Amino acid sequence: MHITVVGLSHNTAPVEIRERLSIAEHTMEVSLQRLRADDQVLEASILSTCNRLEIYTLLRHPEQGLTAVGTFLSEQSGLDLVELTPHLFTYHHEEAVAHLLRVAAGLDSLVLGEGQILSQVKKMFRLGQEHRSIGPILNRLLNQAVSTGKRVRTETNLGTGAVSISSAAVELAQLKVGQGRGLDELVSLDQEQVAVVGAGRMSRLLLQHLGSKGCRGVVLLNRTVERAELLAADFPDLPVQCRPLNELDHCLSTCSLVFTSTAAEDPIIDAERLNRLNRRSSLLLIDIGVPRNISSDVQGIDGVGAFDVDDLQEVVARNQEARREIAAEAEGLLEEESRQFLEWWDGLEAVPVVNRMRRQLEDIREQELQKALSRMGPDLSARDRKVMEALSKGIINKILHTPVTNLRAPQPRQQRHVAMGVLERLFELRDENPDS
Ligand SMILES: NC(=O)c1ccc[n+]([C@@H]2O[C@H](COP(=O)([O-])OP(=O)(O)OC[C@H]3O[C@@H](n4cnc5c(N)ncnc54)[C@H](OP(=O)(O)O)[C@@H]3O)[C@@H](O)[C@H]2O)c1
């Protein structure tokens, strides 16, 4: 059995490829079932975020299993594998484990150390359990990833400082507004007419950062106005006007800075829409949706500056160096967590031998118990029989406890193989499944 991850991320693929492989929560069950339908795929889970799509699997045979995952990705994206392959990474076993732990810790994120990724890893774990696509191995691995992410946030300084894609988006706005004034620096947003489209988690973070960057008020547009009102109520110090999404045209005509962060699957702003409006002379659009909320055809429209998640690199690079030093603190912790998982995994090698030994001892126990009971005659009470049964089981469990613990304990592989060989020889353990 092999643990693998196949995926793409902001490090390997541009947003136009990533958005084709974005899997919404409501379609996750079907996707997991399609993966699991291949008999090479023993366990599967999918991490789908704005910056990555990663498929973690336990495969029967690595090569045939990877073919199944490749076919799934190609069908899901509608892209030929030849087109997709240059954007994909594949890691096996130790590297796959290490990668997942880095991802959960926020060390592979575009904004180093951002916290949303841990919620997304938790979601992948929950969906894998709910849709029964994971078994004991990925269950253990994902559990370890979640606890690693939590440890990194509590035991290092990486979690301090409210960094997120949204905070980077607000910084990008500050930079672009500054550049519009001939300055290469982050400026206050106090002169901007700002709108935020969408009222979910990312919009909440946008409001948080806008408030602290000088913004004097926001028009918050959402499909469901009530949700926008609930969100606005959490920002008593920031004037927020809540509007239905059908007022988007008015907002695009009157605002100078518009953020989009909806989970819409198709663009909600495109060139055709912008061109028919009687707009202000300059409009800055910042889209953090994936799939993108703003079509790429708006590029080049006079007076419009449009940016998507990939453009956040520009501001992220500015403060990444300081965070990289903090990230180094987390590396030791990741190694420790990764070692723990791999030791547990190595210990699984002993399971077939332990099971055979347990079955052999169980057969002996059963035979000897029946002999003893028949010798004791029919007068034995039901309670006495139960006591005898429990006694015999107790002896077997006590005998097995120490060798099983020793076999599964962390140790060099060679040492475990020798111990397993000795047990097989001394107890003449039969291999009940010689072809597997
Ligand atoms: N979560 C992250 O860490 C993260 C990071 C970077 C980027 N993003 C991207 O940011 C976007 C929003 O993510 P989120 O986590 O904030 O989502 P969320 O909490 O689930 O909120 C979704 C928002 O999108 C709106 N929406 C959904 N479908 C829509 C449609 N067809 N037309 C118009 N509005 C629609 C919802 O409106 P209603 O209230 O009416 O349902 C809601 O305001 C996504 O594209 C995501 O990929 C997320």
Side-chain angles (χ1 to χ4, degrees):
M1 291 191 299
H2 305 263
I3 296 175
T4 60
V5 55
V6 181
L8 43 71
S9 74
H10 60 99
N11 292 316
T12 64
V15 66
E16 50 272 29
I17 299 284
R18 296 203 304 278
E19 68 188 354
R20 299 189 67 155
L21 272 164
S22 167
I23 301 180
E25 184 169 341
H26 66 274
T27 60
M28 195 55 92
E29 182 173 8
V30 177
S31 299
L32 288 168
Q33 277 168 355
R34 272 176 50 213
L35 273 168
R36 286 281 285 106
D38 193 299
D39 74 344
Q40 289 297 324
V41 182
L42 302 171
E43 297 184 29
S45 67
I46 299 175
L47 179 62
S48 178
T49 79
C50 60
N51 276 334
R52 63 188 69 245
L53 184 278
E54 302 190 346
I55 300 187
Y56 290 86
T57 47
L58 182 72
L59 300 176
R60 204 182 290 281
H61 297 290
E63 272 174 35
Q64 293 156 32
L66 285 177
T67 306
V69 177
T71 306
F72 168 83
L73 286 170
S74 171
E75 286 172 5
Q76 185 74 27
S77 61
L79 293 171
D80 197 273
L81 254 188
V82 177
E83 224 175 321
L84 204 51
T85 302
H87 301 289
L88 295 178
F89 56 79
T90 303
Y91 297 126
H92 297 275
H93 202 55
E94 289 98 327
E95 286 190 338
V97 173
H99 176 75
L100 174 59
L101 300 191
R102 284 182 69 75
V103 167
L107 293 189
D108 199 58
S109 294
L110 174 65
V111 180
L112 207 56
E114 51 90 15
Q116 285 69 45
I117 189 66
L118 180 57
S119 321
Q120 289 157 337
V121 170
K122 283 182 190 163
K123 184 158 103 181
M124 141 160 97
F125 189 13
R126 174 175 59 77
L127 293 176
Q129 287 181 323
E130 271 174 28
H131 303 315
R132 297 170 187 279
S133 66
I134 58 174
I137 309 292
L138 289 190
N139 206 69
R140 169 87 185 209
L141 178 60
L142 297 185
N143 195 23
Q144 189 114 21
V146 170
S147 63
T148 304
K150 286 186 190 158
R151 273 193 74 190
V152 166
R153 272 161 190 83
T154 51
E155 295 178 29
T156 73
N157 288 320
L158 198 61
T160 52
V163 288
S164 63
I165 291 284
S166 294
S167 66
V170 172
E171 275 191 22
L172 183 67
Q174 290 180 276
L175 184 70
K176 294 296 161 190
V177 170
Q179 286 172 351
R181 294 180 200 156
L183 304 165
D184 189 30
E185 60 189 49
L186 307 183
V187 299
S188 165
L189 297 175
D190 58 352
Q191 293 170 39
E192 302 307 308
Q193 279 72 50
V194 183
V196 170
V197 185
R201 284 167 291 242
M202 297 317 285
S203 298
R204 170 178 293 280
L205 294 169
L206 281 171
L207 293 188
Q208 234 167 42
H209 291 283
L210 283 167
S212 65
K213 302 297 174 198
C215 172
R216 290 166 184 262
V218 173
V219 181
L220 180 62
L221 293 106
N222 199 39
R223 200 173 50 172
T224 321
V225 184
E226 295 73 28
R227 189 168 176 196
E229 285 166 349
L230 280 175
L231 179 58
D234 290 341
F235 295 88
D237 298 333
L238 181 69
V240 180
Q241 294 175 45
C242 299
R243 296 277 182 264
L245 197 53
N246 59 20
E247 290 189 20
L248 181 59
D249 282 350
H250 175 71
C251 169
L252 289 169
S253 309
T254 53
C255 289
S256 58
L257 169 59
V258 177
F259 294 90
T260 52
S261 66
T262 83
E265 284 171 18
D266 298 304
I268 53 180
I269 297 174
D270 59 11
E272 199 261 316
R273 182 168 206 152
L274 289 181
N275 283 333
R276 70 179 142 76
L277 298 177
N278 184 14
R279 283 185 299 104
R280 296 166 44 105
S281 56
S282 80
L283 173 63
L284 183 56
L285 299 169
I286 299 190
D287 177 17
I288 57 172
V290 182
R292 286 170 294 178
N293 295 162
I294 300 180
S295 166
S296 53
D297 67 4
V298 305
Q299 296 291 348
I301 298 183
D302 210 22
V304 174
F307 302 90
D308 61 37
V309 272
D310 280 357
D311 297 309
L312 299 179
Q313 295 279 7
E314 194 177 339
V315 278
V316 166
R318 289 166 84 98
N319 58 17
Q320 205 78 331
E321 210 37 56
R323 297 196 67 74
R324 221 175 278 289
E325 278 175 28
I326 308 177
E329 284 177 48
E331 297 287 353
L333 202 147
L334 292 193
E335 270 173 35
E336 187 188 313
E337 292 280 338
S338 172
R339 194 169 51 243
Q340 242 181 51
F341 176 81
L342 294 170
E343 282 172 358
W344 173 81
W345 166 274
D346 283 348
L348 292 181
E349 259 195 332
V351 169
V353 170
V354 169
N355 285 346
R356 277 184 275 150
M357 200 159 126
R358 190 176 286 282
R359 273 194 295 273
Q360 195 143 317
L361 294 186
E362 182 59 25
D363 288 348
I364 296 170
R365 182 191 76 80
E366 189 61 38
Q367 284 163 17
E368 295 305 309
L369 180 68
Q370 290 315 324
K371 271 192 223 159
L373 290 177
S374 66
R375 266 191 238 120
M376 292 167 112
D379 297 338
L380 205 64
S381 70
R383 186 172 172 279
D384 290 341
R385 281 173 183 271
K386 269 197 177 151
V387 171
M388 297 273 290
E389 173 116 23
L391 169 79
S392 60
K393 281 189 176 159
I395 292 172
I396 298 293
N397 287 341
K398 282 254 156 70
I399 291 174
L400 278 174
H401 178 74
T402 308
V404 168
T405 308
N406 287 335
L407 267 186
R408 298 202 58 183
Q411 60 198 286
R413 272 193 132 177
Q414 179 63 15
Q415 188 177 318
R416 181 181 289 112
H417 286 178
V418 169
M420 282 161 46
V422 168
L423 281 178
E424 283 175 318
R425 194 157 40 80
L426 294 183
F427 283 84
E428 296 186 352
L429 300 178
R430 301 173 299 275
D431 189 350
E432 289 153 353
N433 221 349
D435 297 330
S436 67

